Amino acid sequence: MRISDNPIAAKLKDLGVELRAAVPLTGKTSLGIGGTTDELLLRRYETIPDAMRLLTDAGISHKFLGGGTNVLVADGELPWVILHLPSAHPGVRIEGNIAHVDASADLGGMVTFCAKNNLGGMEGLIGVPGSVGGALRMNAGAYGTQIGSYVREVELYRASSGQIETVRGNDIRFDYRHTSFAPDDVMLRVKLELPSKPYAEILAGIKICNEKRRSSQPLNQKSAGCIFKNPQGGSAGRMIDELGLKEHRSGGAMVSDRHANFFVNAGGATCADMLRLIDDVRERVRGAYGIVLENEVIVWKN
């Protein structure tokens, strides 16, 4: 979608919104897949409600893109614009056991920053790619850790009210790779309460998690992490592996030869390639095990 010639472009600029025209999302997603659209950088949080109202009143569809690490985006010219918060470095402020974190901060960078301030508990998240906001939305977790356990407050733009609100952690439901946030909520900041732990001890835990990842995940290939959620009491990766589907392909999309629940862009993969591979693997697992795997990756179709 193009809004550079739309009358609201000047009004958005007055609100501190930066417009980048015709951005290819292949460079914005960890899969290296995605079509082209305009990108709006929301540089001033306080003007977000006014910017959202402008877009809604003008009938311009929009989607919010965080770190782009858990999303599969459609090919071609996209019918909606992308909203983005500028990256924050490090985007973390420490007060005692409380970490005040910008949602646009890098998740791994945030874990490292807190560790250097002797705040632990999130060692398992060090290698999970993406932004803190994305981790909040899906309650990211690994190796027995999930971010929702430490959330005390979230500041967000709530589309249903058109306002910026602060929600207490106790009022948010954190489930396995799912939360009670609405799809159009935009996370802005989070307050985390973390346990005190010596930096050396945290670092030892981080090293163990990193070694596990390096030995089992395709870290040097373009992927979106796990494609499917694990079914209750089971492992999606184990089932796919048992069916001999590692390196199974559809066009440029391939099941990783290192971790069967990671699908990689092996070169020139399109969204259509990846969707065909996802559907094919899901059907094979259903036929063999009677289990219908649910996507963990978020799919944005035209």
Side-chain angles (χ1 to χ4, degrees):
M1 174 170 281
R2 301 287 183 267
I3 64 171
S4 48
D5 296 327
N6 192 294
I8 73 164
K11 296 179 181 178
L12 288 169
K13 184 177 180 180
D14 290 340
L15 294 174
V17 178
E18 179 184 342
L19 170 62
R20 296 178 177 177
V23 174
L25 297 190
T26 51
K28 297 285 184 179
T29 66
S30 60
L31 270 169
I33 293 174
T36 302
T37 189
D38 286 352
E39 177 186 28
L40 298 177
L41 288 178
L42 306 175
R43 294 194 174 278
R44 288 159 48 191
Y45 286 4
E46 69 275 12
T47 67
I48 287 177
D50 291 333
M52 293 297 198
R53 277 191 286 273
L54 280 174
L55 293 173
T56 299
D57 292 346
I60 295 173
S61 299
H62 47 273
K63 291 182 180 293
F64 183 83
L65 183 68
T69 56
N70 190 47
V71 63
L72 173 58
V73 180
D75 305 311
E77 182 79 16
L78 301 174
W80 22 261
V81 299
I82 287 297
L83 308 180
H84 204 78
L85 297 177
S87 298
H89 301 288
V92 188
R93 178 172 56 87
I94 303 294
E95 289 183 343
N97 283 73
I98 300 297
H100 302 267
V101 189
D102 289 342
S104 60
D106 174 73
L107 179 61
M110 181 270 290
V111 175
T112 301
F113 186 90
C114 290
K116 290 179 179 178
N117 285 271
N118 300 307
L119 295 179
M122 296 190 296
E123 291 86 334
L125 297 177
I126 186 66
V128 176
S131 66
V132 170
L136 283 172
R137 174 167 295 283
M138 66 172 294
N139 191 23
Y143 304 121
T145 299
Q146 59 180 23
I147 194 171
S149 303
Y150 303 104
V151 173
R152 297 298 172 260
E153 283 184 359
V154 176
E155 183 183 358
L156 51 78
Y157 168 76
R158 178 147 281 167
S160 59
S161 67
Q163 300 295 328
I164 292 175
E165 302 179 9
T166 298
V167 184
R168 290 174 37 176
N170 290 339
D171 296 326
I172 303 166
R173 192 180 73 251
F174 289 101
D175 299 323
Y176 171 64
R177 303 299 177 268
H178 181 75
T179 62
S180 56
F181 295 116
D184 49 6
D185 286 343
V186 178
M187 264 60 74
L188 303 176
R189 300 182 182 92
V190 61
K191 182 190 292 186
L192 302 170
E193 184 175 0
L194 302 170
S196 297
K197 189 182 291 189
Y199 176 57
E201 186 178 334
I202 299 172
L203 192 61
I206 286 174
K207 287 181 178 178
I208 291 171
C209 292
N210 280 339
E211 288 170 2
K212 290 179 179 179
R213 280 197 172 86
R214 280 193 293 268
S215 67
S216 65
Q217 297 180 8
L219 301 182
N220 296 321
Q221 293 179 286
K222 295 178 179 179
S223 82
C226 288
I227 287 290
F228 299 113
K229 296 179 182 179
N230 286 325
Q232 188 171 6
S235 165
R238 178 185 55 78
M239 290 186 288
I240 298 168
D241 192 5
E242 288 176 352
L243 292 174
L245 294 177
K246 282 185 174 178
E247 298 189 271
H248 182 57
R249 300 180 68 123
S250 175
M254 183 180 78
V255 179
S256 168
D257 62 350
R258 295 179 65 82
H259 191 309
N261 199 16
F262 279 62
F263 293 7
V264 301
N265 180 349
T270 64
C271 181
D273 289 340
M274 194 62 68
L275 287 174
R276 278 193 298 269
L277 184 61
I278 290 171
D279 289 344
D280 183 20
V281 171
R282 179 185 287 113
E283 182 58 25
R284 289 171 185 250
V285 169
R286 186 201 64 78
Y289 296 96
I291 293 173
V292 178
L293 294 176
E294 181 182 351
N295 282 0
E296 182 168 317
V297 67
I298 298 167
V299 179
W300 287 356
K301 297 182 179 180
N302 276 332

